[in-house]
Amino acid sequence: MKVERVPRLYVEAPPEECLEGRKVKKDCVIISGNVEVWLKRDESVPDFIDIEGAKFLVKEVYDRFYLYVDRMGGKMLADAILILPDGRTRIYLKRDDELLILPVEGYTKTLIANVGNRVRTGDAFAAITTRKGEVHYLKPPKTGTVVFIDEVTNRPHYVYYILPEK
């Protein structure tokens, strides 16, 4: 049985959510200038890090990504880092980055692109089949990278969050 691995999400938070003195309360990333320090719970912040001027990103449950997006305006509400299941690929999202928010609604839905996939304008990221059996391919208006797929359960459909290329 293959276990589907989920991306890891780190989201900007106040220092007190991450630190107790110079010890880390939960997994977090500290960014000071152009230096990133990735720390696990109970590790200490290295002395060369100036806590005062640093930015803190705390590990969050990936399924809660949508909480950090203004879904009406399509903008990020906080800085975030996504680490894809390969463990190497990182996607940096900044506060106010605009995301394409594209719903996938229909009788049956087939997801084609997964998180981390680059989707180009003209390429299908999902397909829907109508009750009459017609298949419609959904294509993004801009080329970008899929950063989150939300499964909305109160009326079954999906919503793609795509970070467009500049």
Side-chain angles (χ1 to χ4, degrees), residues 4-21:
E4 186 70 29
R5 295 189 46 217
V6 175
R8 286 177 295 167
L9 173 65
Y10 291 82
V11 179
E12 188 177 357
E16 56 273 11
E17 212 173 297
C18 188
L19 297 178
E20 218 164 73

Side-chain angles (χ1 to χ4, degrees), residues 11 27 29 45-46 68 77 85 89 92 99 101 104 109-110 118 120 129 132 134 136 138 141 145 159 163 165:
V11 179
D27 292 6
V29 181
V45 177
Y68 301 99
L77 298 171
T89 308
Y92 290 83
L99 299 177
I101 299 176
V104 179
K109 296 147 292 285
T110 305
R118 181 174 182 252
R120 295 187 313 223
T129 307
K132 294 179 182 175
E134 300 164 332
H136 298 280
L138 304 178
T145 303
V159 179
L163 178 65
E165 294 176 3

Side-chain angles (χ1 to χ4, degrees), residues 21-54:
R22 287 190 76 87
K23 217 176 195 63
V24 177
K25 292 196 275 190
K26 35 175 131 165
D27 292 6
C28 68
V29 181
I30 303 171
I31 300 174
S32 179
N34 59 359
V35 176
E36 280 180 18
V37 179
W38 295 73
L39 297 170
K40 296 222 177 284
R41 184 183 176 152
D42 293 331
E43 290 183 333
S44 294
V45 177
D47 291 334
F48 63 85
I49 295 294
D50 172 24
I51 292 176
E52 296 303 311

